[in-house]
Amino acid sequence: MDVPAKIQLLRANFPVFQQFELIETIAQNSQYLDVPEGTVILNVGQYIKVIPLVVSGSVKVFREDDDVREALLYYIKPGQSCAMTLASSLKPGRSEIKAVALEKTGIIALSVDSLYDVNKRFPSWYHFVFETFGMRFNELIQAFEGVVFHHLDERLMSYLKQRADTVGRSVLKISHSEIAKDLATSREVISRLLKQFEQEKLVLLARGQITLIN
């Protein structure tokens, strides 16, 4: 993808970048990635070489332990980036998270090597970085409160609504096992709660698919 096309995508998805020179700099120091669904974009332990600026699709960011248990951290939608990778604009290092494309996703990958110049010249970039930090911190607080204060059925419904909001549709292509991993519980418990939701006419279940009913 050429620079003018990347500029158009950035202007459409990142209005926070108020200075045209900033958009132009990002476009000149980045590459466009068309990422298929299910692709691991970043793995734990990898050096962070680019900052992902999502322009279409969505990305799931989570932690994974040695037993392959997962803890969902947050989703990234168009117009957003990853707080963990943005931290590398302040201090370079290895990734402590895993990021996977939830669907076909378009990413403008800004080279970390260009961040010193971007940080120095463009205040709106710093605004974007700290706005992202604040948003992700609030999401993590809400997740913590959900674990401590809310019952699992409430957490599950909140999870489904958040996922639907992220992908922009009420039909979710997701397995009970994936939900169980994200909520740190068993597949059997998730299946039982979803069946309960279906009986209450909150969802419609099909193989590998959950539809939220308004």
Side-chain angles (χ1 to χ4, degrees), residues 79-109:
Q80 299 178 350
S81 187
C82 175
M84 301 297 183
T85 56
L86 281 170
S88 68
S89 66
L90 305 175
K91 182 181 178 181
R94 294 176 183 265
S95 171
E96 296 183 359
I97 53 91
K98 189 172 183 177
V100 176
L102 280 180
E103 54 194 318
K104 183 179 178 182
T105 300
I107 293 174
I108 291 181

Side-chain angles (χ1 to χ4, degrees), residues 7-28:
I7 288 175
Q8 186 174 0
L9 283 174
L10 288 166
R11 295 187 73 174
N13 289 279
F14 291 87
V16 68
F17 299 154
Q18 298 173 357
Q19 299 160 283
F20 178 76
E21 191 178 357
L22 169 58
I23 295 175
E24 190 175 39
T25 300
I26 293 173
Q28 291 171 345

Side-chain angles (χ1 to χ4, degrees), residues 139-186:
E139 288 174 345
L140 293 176
I141 290 294
Q142 290 172 9
F144 175 76
E145 288 178 342
V147 172
V148 174
F149 301 119
H150 295 180
H151 294 298
L152 185 56
D153 58 342
E154 295 175 304
R155 291 172 54 207
L156 174 56
M157 182 52 69
S158 177
Y159 169 92
L160 295 174
K161 289 178 178 178
Q162 183 184 22
R163 181 94 168 205
D165 179 66
T166 298
V167 299
R169 56 182 179 272
S170 60
V171 179
L172 306 177
K173 294 182 178 180
I174 186 171
S175 69
H176 297 191
S177 296
E178 182 181 347
I179 298 173
K181 281 185 176 181
D182 286 344
L183 296 181
T185 187
S186 68

Side-chain angles (χ1 to χ4, degrees), residues 69-83:
R69 293 178 301 184
E70 297 177 2
L72 175 66
L73 297 177
Y74 49 80
Y75 297 111
I76 308 173
K77 300 187 293 185
Q80 299 178 350
S81 187
C82 175

Side-chain angles (χ1 to χ4, degrees), residues 115-150:
L115 287 178
Y116 176 79
D117 182 52
V118 171
N119 286 331
K120 184 178 178 180
R121 294 171 56 198
F122 303 108
S124 59
W125 173 261
Y126 257 121
H127 175 75
F128 171 69
V129 169
F130 285 103
E131 185 179 70
T132 300
F133 286 163
M135 178 177 63
R136 299 310 181 196
F137 180 76
N138 287 335
E139 288 174 345
L140 293 176
I141 290 294
Q142 290 172 9
F144 175 76
E145 288 178 342
V147 172
V148 174
F149 301 119
H150 295 180

